[in-house]
Amino acid sequence: MAVEVVFFNIPHLSVGRGGEVWESQVIEYLNRSSEFKAKLITTNCCHIKDVVTSFEYKVIPLKKYFGLHLFNYNDIKNDLEEAEIVYYFNSFIGSQLPILKNIKNINKIIFGYHAKNDWNYIQRVYYSLLNYKIRNIGYHHVLTRFYYEILIKRGFNNVFIIPNFVDLSEFKRVEKDKNLIVAPGAVTREKGINTLLNIAKVKKDLTIYITGNEPSMKLPKNLKYLGKLNREEYTKLLAKSSICILPTYGEQFPITFLECLASGNLVLARDLPVLREISGGIESVDFASSDNEFIIKLEYLMNISDNMYKFDTLSNKSIERAKLFDKNIILEKFKNKLLEIAKE
């Protein structure tokens, strides 16, 4: 008999960020197997548009009170309590409270750590208290060994690592434009747009292209916003580009990083432990901590892109690294982990 799994996330599926992309592909993969029956529940938080899916998909109202993200548990009571496994995206202050209040009625729960939750003081206090409450409850899915070790040090039980993944079939070899530099999704302070502004101010002779939601500030002429591209436009842009810049200040495991590698690009990223872990130390990825270091390292990568033989060698290293995170490989591991949990 098929294992019933319910995924529950606060943001509406149409938001289309990393977590929403992840959950859609995971559910589709599981449902292709006779071993699982998976569905998704989200709230109307951040609802942009209605979404048509190949799987069962339910939207409930979000209730915000004093900064807490709450909902009526009765709206999902039957879904959660009839499922053999509930996968809950552990983010948004307060959203865990209705679940924890009824945790004894839920068969098995996995807390998924996909988003950075310590941007400000309030988040740090809330999640430190929450961690004390949930560390002995259910299972905890992290995307990197870096965060695995953090949870283990904090006394968490039943922590497992399964990384993010990339659909390699979306990325085809094309002739590269050595002058095409892309910073995918770097449109907010947290994603590092101020670093891009400083690079553009100093390096007036180059143009950097950014994608994603529209930035809230005016951009200089050599920092060009391309808009929120559809999937085909986005993958074609990465395939054509030569260098990706990821100046983000905090991530759990950005899919963007894998997409840049799968496209055969050189990558310049902020020096974060999780990004170093994902890179595996390959030569095609470099790191910077300060804006000045970003400028110096970017000049170095641009020089490499002028050397066709060296660029092709490093481009292949990026692609080979991405293959370790191939969608089918990672999703099979995740499926097997769910089967293991269901049998425990």
Side-chain angles (χ1 to χ4, degrees), residues 170-275:
E170 290 187 294
F171 300 91
K172 305 298 183 184
R173 277 279 196 182
V174 300
E175 185 177 350
K176 292 286 190 180
D177 180 346
K178 68 177 183 179
N179 295 313
L180 184 52
I181 303 171
V182 181
V187 294
T188 63
R189 181 187 65 81
E190 291 83 4
K191 295 294 184 180
I193 193 167
N194 288 338
T195 291
L196 297 180
L197 289 168
N198 287 328
I199 294 174
K201 184 176 180 180
V202 174
K203 299 293 292 181
K204 299 183 184 297
D205 57 333
L206 63 82
T207 300
I208 299 173
Y209 297 87
I210 60 175
T211 65
N213 295 325
E214 188 170 356
S216 59
M217 70 282 289
K218 185 177 180 181
L219 302 178
K221 291 182 179 179
N222 59 338
L223 195 57
K224 294 191 179 297
Y225 172 62
L226 297 178
K228 194 169 185 178
L229 306 181
N230 64 37
R231 193 63 188 168
E232 183 179 2
E233 293 169 334
Y234 176 70
T235 55
K236 283 184 177 179
L237 176 69
L238 289 187
K240 190 71 174 175
S241 63
S242 295
I243 298 173
C244 284
I245 305 179
L246 301 177
T248 178
Y249 283 94
E251 298 283 353
Q252 294 282 43
F253 195 127
I255 294 176
T256 304
F257 197 113
L258 296 181
E259 292 170 336
C260 290
L261 294 178
S263 303
N265 285 324
L266 307 182
V267 179
L268 176 57
R270 193 167 301 278
D271 198 352
L272 302 176
V274 293
L275 300 187

Side-chain angles (χ1 to χ4, degrees), residues 27-175:
I27 293 170
E28 289 170 354
Y29 187 87
L30 293 176
N31 284 342
R32 285 198 292 270
S33 166
S34 60
E35 297 167 293
F36 286 93
K37 181 181 179 182
K39 64 182 179 181
L40 173 66
I41 301 173
T42 73
T43 76
N44 56 5
C45 173
C46 324
H47 187 165
I48 299 172
K49 60 183 179 181
D50 292 331
V51 176
V52 178
T53 66
S54 62
F55 50 84
E56 188 178 343
Y57 167 46
K58 179 178 180 178
V59 182
I60 64 171
L62 178 72
K63 299 177 180 180
K64 290 192 71 173
Y65 295 109
F66 304 105
L68 298 177
H69 295 75
L70 303 174
F71 49 89
N72 186 344
Y73 181 79
N74 287 331
D75 288 343
I76 57 174
K77 174 181 170 66
N78 292 338
D79 299 287
L80 299 195
E81 295 180 9
E82 291 174 5
E84 291 173 67
I85 299 174
V86 172
Y87 188 102
Y88 170 72
F89 289 77
N90 187 29
S91 60
F92 287 84
I93 290 177
S95 59
Q96 303 84 1
L97 302 181
I99 293 176
L100 291 178
K101 185 178 178 181
N102 297 276
I103 195 66
K104 292 182 179 180
N105 300 320
I106 295 174
N107 292 316
K108 293 176 181 177
I109 188 167
I110 301 172
F111 293 92
Y113 297 76
H114 293 255
K116 183 175 169 62
N117 289 325
D118 59 355
W119 287 110
N120 56 52
Y121 178 73
I122 293 176
Q123 285 181 317
R124 288 192 288 273
V125 171
Y126 174 81
Y127 282 101
S128 64
L129 295 173
L130 178 70
N131 289 344
Y132 183 78
K133 177 69 176 176
I134 70 173
R135 62 185 180 178
N136 294 317
I137 296 175
Y139 301 81
H140 302 272
H141 171 212
V142 296
L143 305 175
T144 61
R145 176 154 292 279
F146 176 77
Y147 278 100
Y148 172 86
E149 292 174 354
I150 288 176
L151 292 194
I152 293 299
K153 287 179 181 177
R154 291 175 179 172
F156 277 69
N157 293 315
N158 297 323
V159 186
F160 65 92
I161 312 167
I162 295 179
N164 234 326
F165 55 83
V166 63
D167 186 350
L168 295 176
S169 67
E170 290 187 294
F171 300 91
K172 305 298 183 184
R173 277 279 196 182
V174 300
E175 185 177 350

